[in-house]
Amino acid sequence: MDPSYLPAFTKEQLKKQFRWSEFLAEKIISSVAFLSIAIIFLIFIFVFKESLPLFSSTKKVEKTEVKATTLQPETYGGATEDLAPETYGAPLEDLSPTEAASTDLQPETYGEPIEELAVENQGETKLAKPNQEGADKTWSTFASAEWVPVSYNPRFGLISLLVGTLKVTLIAMLIAGPLAILAAIYTSCFATKRRKEIIKPIIEMLAAFPSVVIGFFALMVLATFFQDVFGYDSRLNAFVGGVAMALAAIPIIYTISEDALSAVPKTFTEASLALGASKSQTAFLVTLPAATPGIFAALLLGVGRVFGETMIALMATGNAALLSANPFESVRTFAATIGSEMAETVFGETHYSVLFFIGSLLFIFSFGLNAIAEFYVKGKLIKKFQGK
């Protein structure tokens, strides 16, 4: 072709023209991104700030005394001189001294009496509150297995909650991981286009199910079914909760894994098939290793989904803080503890701060897991497959 027929462009024409629509779209996208980061950062600051009282040193208070002032009858309107106490039945004047003495009411007690709760001093009554030793020794109780937040001697043992959370997460990932990845491999490498259009939307629809629906299904159906099959005593346990949480994690793992497998260049599969490899060999030995970084990210998101799940854990795990390696015993997770007890705590008390401290642990775990995967493991895998 003759170059003289080509249109000539000036330097000004080749410059990128300014468009308000592109400028506004770019600013809005960047603003939303920075706003999201700022909101996440502020949430972490708020959660950690509420747990700060656990890190401050406080002096132990032996006795808290409250003076009980003399109560006067509340009056409305006129004087109360002519008012007489309202009586029911026979008047007290007609009773004999012995009978009158027997009518004195004694406070009803349960268990062992609490000593030195009332001290009389110059006509004034002082009420002494029992010392809560656990409130000043909170950190020492974290390493225990007892979760007794409401007591004269409260214990905030996080070991049983941690073990319960890890048990449920491990069971859920052992079920959801292989199923979701195998389903993604089938959809991406073996299924026809028509089947892919049917299978993928159906599995992704599971992500739209509310957690309470999955929890209710586990409570009413899965718990009875697995108890009849295995014959264990505790109807709600870590295994039932893990199966229910696997149903919630499968759509996330499947979607990201299928996208990662579909993003593998077709030249990889074509070269493998051209060298004589079968379709299954190409899928498991070529496509799957090439998509490992994306699949690894999908598994991490699944772990985060299960680790922070609240409603399913409340309804399907039994919600009992038991320290045991048996998967068929009831457990309690970190998220379920916060969800079930936060509304019943008193603002500013030790129990309140401990729950926010658990929330901080959940936040730090999720952030650390994603940071390690993004900056270390994923980078190592990418360099490995690039031959660096």
Side-chain angles (χ1 to χ4, degrees):
M1 180 182 290
D2 189 357
S4 61
Y5 289 101
L6 296 176
F9 294 98
T10 62
K11 195 173 183 179
E12 287 74 14
Q13 290 176 337
L14 293 175
K15 286 183 178 179
K16 185 179 179 180
Q17 296 181 357
F18 178 79
R19 293 182 177 88
W20 277 102
S21 58
E22 295 180 359
F23 176 77
L24 291 176
E26 181 182 352
K27 294 301 180 184
I28 290 174
I29 292 173
S30 60
S31 300
V32 171
F34 282 113
L35 182 62
S36 302
I37 296 173
I39 290 175
I40 294 173
F41 186 69
L42 290 175
I43 291 174
F44 175 72
I45 291 177
F46 168 75
V47 173
F48 189 74
K49 181 180 72 68
E50 295 297 324
S51 63
L52 280 180
L54 295 177
F55 300 90
S56 61
S57 58
T58 55
K59 295 182 179 180
K60 186 175 180 180
V61 181
E62 294 296 335
K63 287 185 179 180
T64 304
E65 297 183 350
V66 180
K67 291 185 178 181
T69 58
T70 305
L71 299 179
Q72 300 294 334
E74 188 173 2
T75 59
Y76 300 91
T80 61
E81 289 79 8
D82 299 334
L83 297 178
E86 187 174 2
T87 59
Y88 299 90
L92 295 177
E93 289 79 7
D94 299 336
L95 298 176
S96 61
T98 305
E99 293 176 345
S102 64
T103 59
D104 295 338
L105 298 178
Q106 299 294 331
E108 190 173 0
T109 59
Y110 300 91
E112 298 180 358
I114 301 176
E115 301 293 338
E116 300 179 358
L117 287 183
V119 181
E120 294 184 359
N121 183 14
Q122 296 179 357
E124 296 179 350
T125 303
K126 298 180 181 180
L127 300 178
K129 184 179 179 182
N131 178 40
Q132 297 184 354
E133 296 180 358
D136 296 324
K137 298 181 180 179
T138 306
W139 287 100
S140 62
T141 63
F142 281 174
S144 66
E146 295 180 282
W147 178 262
V148 188
V150 182
S151 171
Y152 284 103
N153 216 0
R155 279 91 68 198
F156 302 98
L158 300 184
I159 301 299
S160 58
L161 303 184
L162 177 62
V163 172
T165 304
L166 294 178
K167 281 170 61 175
V168 174
T169 303
L170 181 62
I171 293 170
M173 294 308 299
L174 289 177
I175 297 173
L179 288 178
I181 294 174
L182 290 175
I185 292 174
Y186 173 77
T187 306
S188 177
C189 302
F190 297 99
T192 61
K193 186 177 180 181
R194 177 62 179 169
R195 290 181 180 178
K196 182 177 180 180
E197 292 176 353
I198 297 175
I199 295 174
K200 189 173 182 180
I202 290 177
I203 296 179
E204 290 177 348
M205 281 178 60
L206 290 174
F209 283 10
S211 298
V212 66
V213 175
I214 300 177
F216 185 75
F217 175 73
L219 176 66
M220 303 303 298
V221 178
L222 294 180
T224 303
F225 173 76
F226 286 121
Q227 189 179 33
D228 294 339
V229 172
F230 296 105
Y232 47 73
D233 296 330
S234 181
R235 183 172 177 270
L236 301 176
N237 49 60
F239 181 76
V240 176
V243 174
M245 290 187 183
L247 296 177
I250 283 176
I252 299 174
I253 302 174
Y254 167 81
T255 301
I256 300 176
S257 299
E258 201 278 333
D259 292 340
L261 291 167
S262 300
V264 174
K266 296 298 180 183
T267 55
F268 284 28
T269 59
E270 292 173 356
S272 176
L273 294 173
L275 291 173
S278 64
K279 215 169 186 179
S280 59
Q281 289 175 333
T282 302
F284 288 99
L285 300 178
V286 177
T287 307
L288 181 61
T292 302
I295 294 175
F296 185 78
L299 291 175
L300 287 179
L301 288 177
V303 170
R305 175 74 169 87
V306 174
F307 201 83
E309 177 57 46
T310 303
M311 187 54 66
I312 297 176
L314 279 173
M315 301 179 69
T317 60
N319 208 25
L322 302 178
L323 182 61
S324 172
N326 187 358
F328 299 114
E329 288 191 357
S330 299
V331 295
R332 170 178 278 196
T333 64
F334 280 152
T337 302
I338 297 174
S340 61
E341 298 182 6
M342 180 58 72
E344 301 175 358
T345 60
V346 179
F347 177 81
E349 281 198 346
T350 305
H351 187 196
Y352 175 86
S353 300
V354 170
L355 293 180
F356 271 96
F357 179 71
I358 294 175
S360 302
L361 293 179
L362 288 174
F363 193 100
I364 293 172
F365 175 82
S366 301
F367 180 80
L369 194 65
N370 286 278
I372 293 173
E374 182 68 25
F375 299 110
Y376 182 73
V377 180
K378 190 175 178 181
K380 287 276 188 180
L381 291 172
I382 291 175
K383 288 181 180 180
K384 176 182 176 181
F385 291 116
Q386 288 177 349
K388 294 181 180 180

